[in-house]
């Protein structure tokens, strides 16, 4: 065995990746077991285990308890998206962030909203509509419903200067959430707020967060035409 | 200390998460150091370290070598998207997958394509246009350029029955890639292929993959109106 000793799981992972990409180990191939790899790499078996587990998590390896580990036949690529506060997102682009409240009401939500948020249909919610700006130009329209049973402090907030997007992150923790990306045609009012043509194709993010069993907030972000959400594979 | 012993890093992570969510540890708070936590939890310091590292990776904790570990003031949520073969994506929806080749040419690409793929402007590439179907209805339009210097075997493929999407995954490994999500208005030909109205808002995925220093393929997927890409937070 001429392979130099691998000291940590990252270097083992790199070598395994190299073999997969160089197709020394081809899609669908059974790879050596952990004990043999540990021997070859001159490292602890737990180090090999950690490296392989990370590669399995990222969809490059298929681990079966009895059948051993194979290179995935059709690897699933994983793209990780950072969902930051919009102010930070704008600032990370080197632009100046701005915020404008459009409307704030306590009102009965449409049934699709109360159904999704699992609130009683006759239960009023806090509805906030606001605009995020980048270098004074519209960046994203923020249409949001807040469950004030779960976040009663929101009733005391005017949201004139701090966006609900930012306020909620520090005041209303959530345990889990659902997120969906889509394209939406700009309505008349969307177009007015964003300063774009009616029916423009807008990138949309819908998000619904939960604190244990109760909904916290449901929001639709509509981004100005041309917006891209980018990441690496 | 009444805390029961925590046997593995996952149970330590769960307890730390519980304290963050219950706001026993509030956003921005400095948390106890690893040695104290190991003592409290009755586990090895390495177990605490692994749990905290995972939470830092997911943006819930801020770890600074000298300043200690704090609960993130503005936690960045991470959404992970699985980028699977489209056939599998359709089948996972319980629908029958279909495929139709629209065009296959070896041709000079527009300059924006050769520039992005870093191929010489006078270098011909393989251009493939195809339609993915779900239950016989248009699902996504696949407009793709393949760098045949890197994947010469693609020249022997007709792509009449197997999509380039699927063929490339098994024949052309890549080391890394870039991916962007956006909304695009349907052009006349997009609309014809997808059977939708011109200017419809279409969800778009642009992907460019690399094998070490050379581009493999650049693809734009345009999904039929109403398509959503969903995941959890």
């Amino acid at each position: 065995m001429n392979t130099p000793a691998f000291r940590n799981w990252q270097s083992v992972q790199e070598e395994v990746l190299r073999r997969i990409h160089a197709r020394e180990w081809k899609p669908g191939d059974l790879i050596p077991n952990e004990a043999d790899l540990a021997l070859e790499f001159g490292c602890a078996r737990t180090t090999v285990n950690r490296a392989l587990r990370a590669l399995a998590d990222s969809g490059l390896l298929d681990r079966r308890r009895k059948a051993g580990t194979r290179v995935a036949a059709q690897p699933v690529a994983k793209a990780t998206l950072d969902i930051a506060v919009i102010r930070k997102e704008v600032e990370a682009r080197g632009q100046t962030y701005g915020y404008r409240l459009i409307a704030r009401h306590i009102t009965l939500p449409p049934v699709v909203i109360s159904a999704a948020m699992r609130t009683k249909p006759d239960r009023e919610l806090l509805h906030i509509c606001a605009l995020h700006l980048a270098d004074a130009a519209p960046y994203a329209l923020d249409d949001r419903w807040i469950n004030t049973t779960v976040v009663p402090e929101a009733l005391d907030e005017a949201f004139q200067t701090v966006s609900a997007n930012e306020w909620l992150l520090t005041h209303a923790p959530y345990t889990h959430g659902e997120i969906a990306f889509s394209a939406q045609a700009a309505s008349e009012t969307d177009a007015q707020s964003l300063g774009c043509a009616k029916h423009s194709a807008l990138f949309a993010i819908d998000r619904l967060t939960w604190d244990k069993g109760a909904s916290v907030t449901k929001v639709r972000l509509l981004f100005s035409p041309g917006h891209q959400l980018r990441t690496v594979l």
Side-chain angles (χ1 to χ4, degrees), chain A:
Chain A
M1 308 266 170
N2 292 321
T3 320
F6 288 86
R7 274 153 205 281
N8 54 35
W9 69 272
Q10 288 92 341
S11 62
V12 170
Q13 181 178 310
E14 244 170 62
E15 172 61 16
V16 170
L17 261 181
R18 190 196 64 73
R19 293 182 186 187
I20 294 172
H21 287 137
R23 296 218 242 155
E24 292 174 20
W25 293 346
K26 296 185 187 61
D29 274 5
L30 194 66
I31 72 168
N33 66 40
E34 287 181 7
D36 288 348
L37 287 175
L39 197 64
E40 182 189 350
F41 291 155
C43 68
R45 192 172 152 170
T46 51
T47 307
V48 173
N49 180 275
R50 175 142 192 216
L52 298 189
R53 212 169 44 209
L55 291 170
D57 285 350
S58 70
L60 274 165
L61 293 175
D62 247 345
R63 282 154 61 88
R64 302 274 163 86
R65 191 171 289 271
K66 291 206 173 132
T69 298
R70 290 179 183 276
V71 179
Q74 293 186 316
V76 172
K78 305 243 179 196
T80 304
L81 297 168
D82 288 347
I83 313 291
V85 179
I86 293 178
R87 178 177 59 76
K88 289 208 168 179
E89 193 177 300
V90 168
E91 288 169 356
R93 297 157 67 105
Q95 296 184 292
T96 304
Y97 175 74
Y99 167 77
R100 196 162 78 229
L101 180 68
I102 297 172
R104 180 193 183 284
H105 297 291
I106 294 158
T107 183
L108 267 188
V111 176
V112 288
I113 299 290
S114 58
M117 294 181 74
R118 289 193 222 138
T119 54
K120 287 191 186 140
D122 60 350
R123 168 86 205 174
E124 291 189 328
L125 302 174
L126 181 57
H127 186 205
I128 294 164
C129 205
L131 190 65
H132 302 276
L133 301 111
D135 285 347
Y139 179 77
L141 193 59
D142 186 320
D143 188 300
R144 180 185 301 266
W145 294 87
I146 297 175
N147 184 352
T148 47
T149 309
V150 172
V151 203
E153 312 93 298
L155 292 169
D156 302 326
E157 269 292 325
F159 298 111
Q160 285 284 355
T161 53
V162 173
S163 74
N165 176 252
E166 190 144 353
W167 185 88
L168 280 166
L169 263 182
T170 42
H171 291 79
Y174 60 88
T175 49
H176 60 290
E178 300 151 23
I179 192 165
F181 307 94
S182 66
Q184 302 289 336
S187 71
E188 184 90 46
T189 53
D190 297 337
Q192 269 170 17
S193 300
L194 290 171
C196 66
K198 195 182 168 188
H199 301 315
S200 294
L202 305 179
F203 182 68
I205 300 184
D206 284 278
R207 198 163 53 201
L208 174 57
T209 51
W210 300 87
D211 191 18
K212 285 146 224 151
S215 60
V216 177
T217 188
K218 179 163 169 57
V219 59
R220 167 166 283 187
L221 295 166
L222 286 175
F223 293 83
S224 279
H227 183 81
Q228 284 195 326
L229 183 63
R230 307 181 69 93
T231 187
V232 293
L233 284 174

